[in-house]
Amino acid sequence: MSRQYRLIDKWLSEVDHALRTASSRNNRGQRANPAEEKGAEATELSDEERTLAAGLMRVNHSGEIAAQALYKGQSLLARNKALWEHLQEAADEEVDHLAWCEDRLRELGSQPSRLAPFWYAGSYTMGALAGLAGDKWSLGFIEETEKQVTAHLESHLERLPEKDLRSRQIIEQMREDEMEHAESAHKAGAAPLPEPIKRAMTGIAKVMTTTSFRW
Ligand SMILES: [Fe+2]
Ligand SMILES: [Fe+2]
């Protein structure tokens, strides 16, 4: 295959992944949904509790859409193969998270954010920029992102209705995985990001979480 065809092929597969991830309601991962696996009881929630739980799960779902795009964007420009494989492994676990959040939103009678295509496009660009900066920065970006996601998940565990066991089981497993993703990026040689970049990331995350909660 000529170089030009390989490039076109690569781009078509990137676009295909973007469309499938951002528009699908049936993403499927490899691991079982923790709520199913641990047999978490489906408890009766009031309208208010259901709205809160759905809002938080929608925020988490948007975060997972963004994670897919970040990892894809970074993989595109990763310079060494070991790093690419590392990113691929983490991206596969993020598909599980995406699928679990979708399942829970469906159970709550709700749906993912309508802005999902924007989250994907913006995050893909940010991932590609991190990749362009070089592998150690790309890993630093993963470590910081995963730490911020872990903090969000912890705050969700505090805000979720106590009796919403199914959402809780999912979030607890996600939190464990995201901590591991941060740890493995650190071990792989992540460079600590400059404070202004960290603050910018917090600001962008704030926009995404606030809007996804409602839309
Ligand atoms: Fe995740
Ligand atoms: Fe992660």
Side-chain angles (χ1 to χ4, degrees):
M1 219 192 299
S2 75
R3 191 168 176 276
Q4 201 179 7
Y5 276 113
R6 277 203 307 273
L7 264 178
I8 294 172
D9 201 44
K10 172 90 185 141
W11 275 108
L12 285 178
S13 119
E14 294 291 311
V15 171
D16 176 59
H17 180 268
L19 292 174
R20 277 188 295 115
T21 307
S23 62
S24 168
R25 300 289 180 266
N26 290 302
N27 283 293
R28 288 272 56 95
Q30 291 173 344
R31 291 173 297 168
N33 183 324
E36 288 298 327
E37 204 176 40
K38 292 175 183 162
E41 208 186 318
T43 43
E44 195 69 43
L45 299 174
S46 68
D47 286 350
E48 207 177 313
E49 288 170 332
R50 185 177 288 271
T51 305
L52 172 63
L56 295 177
M57 291 313 284
R58 188 160 41 252
V59 168
N60 294 330
H61 183 271
S62 292
E64 295 302 331
I65 291 272
Q68 282 297 311
L70 279 176
Y71 278 111
K72 272 278 171 189
Q74 285 177 294
S75 301
L76 189 71
L77 297 171
R79 289 172 178 60
N80 84 51
K81 198 166 175 302
L83 176 66
W84 192 87
E85 277 164 9
H86 169 93
L87 295 177
Q88 200 49 51
E89 226 169 80
D92 287 346
E93 286 202 355
E94 306 293 2
V95 179
D96 291 339
H97 299 174
L98 189 63
W100 302 341
C101 290
E102 267 174 31
D103 288 348
R104 187 59 190 141
L105 278 169
R106 203 175 300 119
E107 287 173 1
L108 289 163
S110 192
Q111 65 280 311
S113 169
R114 275 166 262 170
L115 302 170
F118 292 101
W119 309 139
Y120 194 101
S123 303
Y124 188 91
T125 310
M126 276 166 58
L129 287 174
L132 197 62
D135 290 347
K136 68 174 185 169
W137 296 112
S138 202
L139 287 163
F141 189 70
I142 294 182
E143 186 183 6
E144 178 59 23
T145 305
E146 299 288 7
K147 280 182 176 169
Q148 293 196 8
V149 173
T150 303
H152 271 289
L153 295 173
E154 273 161 9
S155 78
H156 287 190
L157 285 170
E158 276 169 27
R159 291 174 64 194
L160 264 180
E162 201 58 52
K163 58 185 173 181
D164 185 359
L165 303 178
R166 292 185 71 79
S167 301
R168 284 184 175 278
Q169 294 289 8
I170 292 171
I171 294 180
E172 274 165 16
Q173 184 59 54
M174 282 168 60
R175 178 183 57 170
E176 213 170 285
D177 294 345
E178 313 300 16
M179 282 191 310
E180 267 172 36
H181 297 161
E183 181 72 23
S184 67
H186 183 77
K187 283 190 190 144
L193 297 187
E195 280 307 316
I197 302 270
K198 288 188 191 176
R199 278 200 295 275
M201 287 166 73
T202 309
I204 293 169
K206 180 101 187 131
V207 172
M208 194 178 81
T209 53
T210 316
T211 46
S212 292
F213 187 85
R214 288 177 184 281
W215 302 290

